[in-house]
């Protein structure tokens, strides 16, 4: 397989041109995947959901990928940052907010500052309009390669590509921005100024997002509650599932570790809402836990840890920063239970269902429990803290009562295995696609 990176004049786009995979017999659909992140890396939750959808698409035909994102950092390759594609993949760097009028007239003197000010105080509508670079590449792909369906992973980047001018299009609205900003506003750690900025942003998005979603053929959301978000009323629920459920031999729940005093956190450690949650937990909950249980350990497992965060966390007594581990099963086997102290974010936290799949109960925040209240009720499958202090109390309770944490874990694992499966995930994707393309032969530009 030959690949190369080519510059496309005028569009400042990079094209990683890999020979398309041959279509399987009986599978003749041609999809275009549009997103800001890759479906070819699975070391974080969003990438895992992307991969599961992408893999299902590949059972139905061929998939080209258009990533709307910045170029790789200096010294890093496209493959290192985005993984190795198995078909046609292109990257395009969209214009920054400060490069658009009226900001561009003052940007030259302080580009970083102007970009930041433009993003926070500029009109939100601009974020959801076709980007000159991205839409140029999108139009060229449609002319040259002919697609049956666009799969947009997040509304903003599908809109930047100009895909909503065509049809049919399916949008995965996992991590809805309206929900995300509302949780940040409710987060006690959010500053007053940021709350004011985000309230203004939510009011603006409340007018923009529903109208754009009306132009899509179908919508996926990750939990039933998301259908109450304006514009998502007709959405199909495509729940997040633990990635290991897609393996040929999915893992079974592990036996309880009654002797363990290790609390485990699993997640991408550089993700802003993860490291903010960890910081808050370490500042407000961990001292209380260590006073009650001096031998307690907090083990932080996950990819992409920032060196500064690693050093800062590792300096705290009882904290181990393991970073990326080859075998998650070993991490779960060694722990007593899992903690998910997240107070901002959207979608559903895959950390919760993954932990229970492996046979470990969780102490979670109210934010991390969204989407699970029906299948994983408080005090039956896990424990939900209204604030960091209550989470600390629950952690101490479970460290002191191995039998209770084993009982919660058993009930939680049973619920997860009864309610989630890769087969059902695939079935939902396939049925949605079949209904979207039944009346459309190919995507065609509007004249």
């Amino acid at each position: 397989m030959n690949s190369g990176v080519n510059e496309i004049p005028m569009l400042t786009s990079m094209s990683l041109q890999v020979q398309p995979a041959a279509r399987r017999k009986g599978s003749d659909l041609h999809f275009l995947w549009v997103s800001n992140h890759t479906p070819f890396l699975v070391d974080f939750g969003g990438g895992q959901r992307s991969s599961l959808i992408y893999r299902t698409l590949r059972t139905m035909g061929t998939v080209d990928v258009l990533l709307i994102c910045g170029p790789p950092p200096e010294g890093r390759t496209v493959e290192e940052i985005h993984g190795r594609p198995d078909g046609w993949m292109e990257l395009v760097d969209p214009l920054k907010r400060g490069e658009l009028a009226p900001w561009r007239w003052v940007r030259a003197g302080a580009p970083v500052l102007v970009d930041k000010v433009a993003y926070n105080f500029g009109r939100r509508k601009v974020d959801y309009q076709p980007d000159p670079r991205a839409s140029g590449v999108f139009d060229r792909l449609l002319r040259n390669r002919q697609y049956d369906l666009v799969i947009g992973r997040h509304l903003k980047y599908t809109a930047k590509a100009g895909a909503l001018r065509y049809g049919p299009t399916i949008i995965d609205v996992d991590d809805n921005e309206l929900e995300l900003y509302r949780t940040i506003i409710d987060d006690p750690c959010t500053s007053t100024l940021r709350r004011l900025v985000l309230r203004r942003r939510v009011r603006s998005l409340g007018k923009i997002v529903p109208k754009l979603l009306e132009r899509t053929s179908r919508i996926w959301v990750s939990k039933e509650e998301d259908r109450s978000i304006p514009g998502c009323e007709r959405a199909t629920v495509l729940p997040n599932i633990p990635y290991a459920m897609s393996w040929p031999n999915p893992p079974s729940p592990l036996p309880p570790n009654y002797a363990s005093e290790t609390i485990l956190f699993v997640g991408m450690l550089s993700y802003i809402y993860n490291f903010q949650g960890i910081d808050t937990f370490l500042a407000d909950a961990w001292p209380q836990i260590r006073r009650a249980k001096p031998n307690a350990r907090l083990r932080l497992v996950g990819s992409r840890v920032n060196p500064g965060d690693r050093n800062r966390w590792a300096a705290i007594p009882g904290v181990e920063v393991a970073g990326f581990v080859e075998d998650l099963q070993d991490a779960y086997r060694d722990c007593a239970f899992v903690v998910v102290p997240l107070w901002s974010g959207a979608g559903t936290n895959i950390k919760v269902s993954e932990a229970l799949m492996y046979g470990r109960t969780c102490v979670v925040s109210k934010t991390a429990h969204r989407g699970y209240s029906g299948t994983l009720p408080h005090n039956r499958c896990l424990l939900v803290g209204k604030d960091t202090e209550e989470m600390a109390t629950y952690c101490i309770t479970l460290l002191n009562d191995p039998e209770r944490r084993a009982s919660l874990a058993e009930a939680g694992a049973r619920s997860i295995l009864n309610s989630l499966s890769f087969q059902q995930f695939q079935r939902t994707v396939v049925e949605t696609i079949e209904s979207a393309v039944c009346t459309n032969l190919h995507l065609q530009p509007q004249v």
Side-chain angles (χ1 to χ4, degrees):
M1 184 184 301
N2 296 321
S3 64
V5 177
N6 303 313
E7 292 292 335
I8 299 177
M10 305 297 292
L11 297 174
T12 64
S13 137
M14 291 180 297
S15 174
L16 186 63
Q17 299 178 355
V18 182
Q19 291 298 318
R23 296 189 183 186
R24 291 188 264 285
K25 186 176 181 180
S27 302
D28 57 357
L29 293 177
H30 195 184
F31 304 103
L32 178 60
W33 173 279
V34 179
S35 181
N36 63 318
H37 63 69
T38 176
F40 303 116
L41 293 178
V42 294
D43 62 336
F44 60 104
Q48 291 175 2
R49 181 177 176 89
S50 294
S51 176
L52 294 172
I53 296 173
Y54 177 89
R55 287 166 54 190
T56 305
L57 299 178
R58 288 288 286 113
T59 68
M60 304 178 73
T62 55
V63 188
D64 292 352
V65 173
L66 173 59
L67 296 184
I68 302 174
C69 57
E74 187 176 353
R76 305 290 299 278
T77 66
V78 170
E79 188 171 317
E80 286 176 311
I81 301 301
H82 300 292
R84 186 169 182 79
D86 62 1
W88 189 280
M89 172 173 154
E90 299 207 21
L91 279 70
V92 58
D93 185 8
L95 290 171
K96 297 178 176 61
R97 285 295 301 267
E99 294 178 289
L100 300 170
W103 308 97
R104 67 184 182 212
W105 307 117
V106 296
R107 185 175 184 268
V112 175
L113 176 62
V114 171
D115 289 343
K116 186 174 183 179
V117 171
Y119 178 77
N120 284 294
F121 297 99
R123 293 179 302 135
R124 296 269 64 81
K125 185 177 180 180
V126 175
D127 287 336
Y128 291 83
Q129 291 176 338
D131 175 87
R133 295 175 181 170
S135 62
V137 175
F138 180 87
D139 289 346
R140 170 172 54 76
L141 287 171
L142 257 61
R143 287 194 306 269
N144 296 341
R145 297 186 58 77
Q146 295 293 304
Y147 299 103
D148 299 291
L149 180 65
V150 168
I151 305 293
R153 182 81 163 88
H154 307 313
L155 175 64
K156 179 191 291 186
Y157 296 94
T158 314
K160 281 184 179 293
L164 299 181
R165 298 174 295 179
Y166 305 86
T169 302
I170 297 176
I171 303 292
D172 182 29
V173 193
D174 179 45
D175 288 350
N176 187 297
E177 280 199 298
L178 282 167
E179 181 188 22
L180 169 62
Y181 295 137
R182 284 168 180 158
T183 65
I184 298 174
I185 291 170
D186 292 338
D187 188 334
C189 296
T190 302
S191 68
T192 301
L193 176 60
R194 195 176 187 207
R195 282 199 179 95
L196 292 173
V197 171
L198 291 182
R199 286 194 180 105
R200 175 176 175 267
R201 188 175 300 179
V202 166
R203 287 194 298 270
S204 180
L205 290 175
K207 300 174 183 177
I208 297 167
V209 169
K211 293 179 181 178
L212 291 177
L213 289 174
E214 287 176 2
R215 298 166 62 180
T216 65
S217 302
R218 301 289 187 276
I219 301 167
W220 287 317
V221 293
S222 61
K223 59 185 184 295
E224 185 64 36
E225 294 93 319
D226 289 344
R227 297 180 65 193
S228 65
I229 297 172
C232 292
E233 296 85 355
R234 62 188 174 93
T236 298
V237 177
L238 181 65
N240 280 319
I241 67 169
Y243 189 73
M245 280 187 170
S246 70
W247 296 351
N249 297 301
S252 299
L254 297 162
N257 189 334
Y258 294 109
S260 177
E261 292 188 287
T262 296
I263 303 171
L264 180 67
F265 175 90
V266 177
M268 186 168 72
L269 297 175
S270 63
Y271 183 52
I272 181 171
Y273 306 115
N274 285 349
F275 73 69
Q276 286 179 347
I278 293 170
D279 280 345
T280 301
F281 185 81
L282 288 173
D284 299 341
W286 190 238
Q288 182 179 338
I289 294 169
R290 287 278 288 184
R291 282 194 298 270
K293 302 292 292 184
N295 293 326
R297 287 197 312 151
L298 176 65
R299 192 173 191 220
L300 306 177
V301 167
S303 63
R304 312 187 189 194
V305 59
N306 179 285
D309 291 332
R310 177 189 287 276
N311 294 336
R312 182 163 50 85
W313 292 333
I316 299 173
V319 176
E320 175 195 352
V321 186
F324 178 79
V325 296
E326 291 291 343
D327 191 346
L328 270 179
Q329 186 161 310
D330 287 343
Y332 284 108
R333 181 182 291 109
D334 293 340
C335 79
F337 59 90
V338 169
V339 65
V340 189
L342 305 188
W343 303 99
S344 300
T348 55
N349 276 284
I350 200 64
K351 309 169 187 65
V352 177
S353 57
E354 180 183 80
L356 289 163
M357 177 193 70
Y358 278 105
R360 294 296 181 263
T361 191
C362 304
V363 175
V364 305
S365 65
K366 292 189 300 181
T367 301
H369 194 232
R370 289 169 310 163
Y372 293 116
S373 57
T375 54
L376 302 173
H378 168 64
N379 218 24
R380 284 176 51 191
C381 298
L382 41 64
L383 298 176
V384 184
K386 66 178 182 295
D387 52 33
T388 313
E389 183 177 352
E390 190 169 63
M391 289 185 69
T393 299
Y394 287 147
C395 287
I396 295 168
T397 297
L398 292 186
L399 288 171
N400 284 327
D401 193 346
E403 293 290 347
R404 186 180 182 197
R405 69 191 190 222
S407 175
L408 292 169
E410 182 181 1
R414 186 166 54 247
S415 181
I416 286 297
L417 295 176
N418 287 339
S419 61
L420 299 177
S421 73
F422 184 46
Q423 291 72 27
Q424 180 57 48
F425 184 97
Q426 287 188 306
R427 189 156 48 243
T428 300
V429 171
V430 170
E431 289 174 355
T432 308
I433 288 171
E434 288 178 342
S435 68
V437 301
C438 63
T439 57
N440 299 79
L441 295 178
H442 290 286
L443 286 160
Q444 297 292 342
Q446 294 178 354
V447 179

